Amino acid sequence: MAAKLSGGKGSKYQIEQNSEINVTPFVDIMLVLLIIFMVAAPLATVSVEVALPKAVAKPAQNPPKPVYISIQQDGDVFIGDFRTNVGELGTELQKQLPNRNPADERIFIRADQQTRYGDFMQVMNALQDNGFYSVALVGEDANEQ
């Protein structure tokens, strides 16, 4: 609270209290948080475009740092936003997850609905050959229109 030491009505030594709330620090903090979230939100998404098929399964919980493998219509394979090929898929995943056990990791696969089944199976085989056995398939939610 602020206090007024001189002036106004009354005695020279009477202290008058100011009960107004100073909201400037609160507004400053909120604007800084807004800027931080505006900058951080685009970094948390995958920017590879894939037309996902519809799914009706209940969504599962995501791990702390999910690993997404995207397969485009023409067979291009991405880990997150970085292009790779099927032959290097296992080594690239182990570079990104150096201290994690591959058997405990869940890998999320996003494939275009026009992807050839053979391309998809090559990715699945490469994951299994490198010890990644837990795989989740990502699809669009059929309930959202």
Side-chain angles (χ1 to χ4, degrees):
M1 280 191 204
K4 187 174 182 182
L5 297 176
S6 64
K9 299 178 183 174
S11 168
K12 175 178 168 182
Y13 299 105
Q14 183 178 1
I15 297 176
E16 190 177 312
Q17 291 186 354
N18 181 2
S19 62
E20 294 177 10
I21 297 173
N22 187 3
V23 295
T24 304
F26 175 71
V27 171
D28 289 345
I29 291 171
M30 295 305 293
L31 288 174
V32 168
L33 288 174
L34 177 68
I35 292 170
I36 289 171
F37 289 128
M38 286 173 58
V39 170
L43 300 177
T45 60
V46 180
S47 62
V48 177
E49 286 196 32
V50 175
L52 296 173
K54 301 290 183 193
V56 292
K58 294 180 183 176
Q61 286 185 322
N62 290 338
K65 182 188 174 198
V67 178
Y68 289 98
I69 295 177
S70 301
I71 307 170
Q72 289 185 327
Q73 181 178 359
D74 57 0
D76 290 340
V77 178
F78 292 82
I79 299 175
D81 290 334
F82 303 104
R83 183 186 302 262
T84 187
N85 60 36
V86 177
E88 298 175 358
L89 186 62
T91 57
E92 292 292 327
L93 278 173
Q94 290 174 355
K95 283 181 190 176
Q96 287 192 9
L97 308 169
N99 299 328
R100 294 185 183 174
N101 183 7
D104 296 337
E105 281 301 315
R106 176 170 290 188
I107 306 298
F108 293 88
I109 297 180
R110 303 169 64 239
D112 192 277
Q113 57 187 338
Q114 300 299 322
T115 301
R116 292 181 337 136
Y117 185 71
D119 294 336
F120 177 78
M121 286 308 297
Q122 285 179 341
V123 170
M124 292 290 290
N125 290 335
L127 289 173
Q128 288 181 352
D129 291 345
N130 289 285
F132 295 96
Y133 298 112
S134 181
V135 175
L137 304 178
V138 179
E140 292 286 333
D141 189 6
N143 297 329
E144 293 180 12
Q145 298 284 333

